[in-house]
Amino acid sequence: PPSPAADAWPRWIAHRGAGRRAPENTLAAFRHGWQLGYRAFECDVKLSADGEPYLLHDDTLERTTSGQGPAAAADWATLSRLDAGAWCGPGWAGEPPARLAALAAFANAEGLHVNLELKPLPGQAEATGQVVAHAVRRLWHTGTPAPWLSSFQPAALAAAAVAAPELPRALLLDTLTPGWVAQAQALGCQGVVLNHRLMDADTLRSLHAHGLAGWVYTVNEADRADALWALGVDRIITDTLGP
Ligand code: G3P
Ligand code: MG
């Protein structure tokens, strides 16, 4: 299992591996991000049809892989043969989708800070939270920083909390629904990851007053990032800025 200690996270987090600079959610993106100097990374995790945790943003395959149709229909053997790099440019061709296990090996080797966004397929929230949490316990070594698990889906975070309560969690929000601070607290979250457009001084003050870290996504303009750092946000997820 990883180290649950509140270790010092880098301030910049590369979105989907290396933002727009490499094919999202592939190991090549993490390697590229590492070479660019990033030491913290966000990525999207879901389950294959046979229950293997792997990295993919969409519910369908065609935007970022050589596959077609719903990701839900594909087992890992099928997914592992797809090309997840060519869509991003010919130099990336042949890069396969990444299993969570492969990311864990890289994280263990380099001491990466990783934010695993639980991105369940429809109807898979609980299973995704549970399987990913168990997998992190198994795959991340003692001494490697504990990944933060985040999700827009409270049910995924709740299942992860049962499976591996020691892993830090964060609620992702695209709108501020009534009771959102209480919801994050009820899920035992250490933080909240807000769409940066929702973040302001009052919101951050409220988060910090409740003992919650305030992260924002996805900030790609330097002026906006400067303003958010000045406000006191804890982390920024970015496609293009930093590290
Ligand atoms: O985790 C923050 C951000 O990645 C959420 O949006 O659609 O890029 O996964 P999305
Ligand atoms: Mg994401």
Side-chain angles (χ1 to χ4, degrees), residues 15-16 42 44 57 115 117 119 150 152 172 193 217-218 237:
H15 189 220
R16 306 183 192 175
E42 186 264 2
D44 306 294
H57 181 275
N115 169 205
E117 183 190 340
K119 197 74 134 179
S150 63
F152 289 108
L172 267 162
V193 188
Y217 74 91
T218 303
I237 298 174

Side-chain angles (χ1 to χ4, degrees), residues 19-24 26 29 63-65 83-93:
R20 295 178 188 156
R21 294 182 274 207
E24 63 182 55
T26 64
R63 183 177 63 86
T64 60
T65 80
D83 188 320
W87 68 277
C88 194
W92 302 104

Side-chain angles (χ1 to χ4, degrees), residues 9 30 39-41 43 103 107 112-116 140 145-148:
W9 263 70
F30 280 82
R39 295 297 178 261
F41 303 85
C43 60
L103 172 58
L112 303 187
H113 290 77
V114 180
N115 169 205
L116 301 174
W140 260 255
W148 279 54

Side-chain angles (χ1 to χ4, degrees), residues 129-168:
Q130 183 189 53
V131 170
V132 172
H134 281 310
V136 167
R137 267 192 174 172
R138 195 173 63 247
L139 296 168
W140 260 255
H141 292 170
T142 305
T144 305
W148 279 54
L149 306 181
S150 63
S151 190
F152 289 108
Q153 297 201 31
L157 292 172
V162 172
E166 75 282 6
L167 294 177

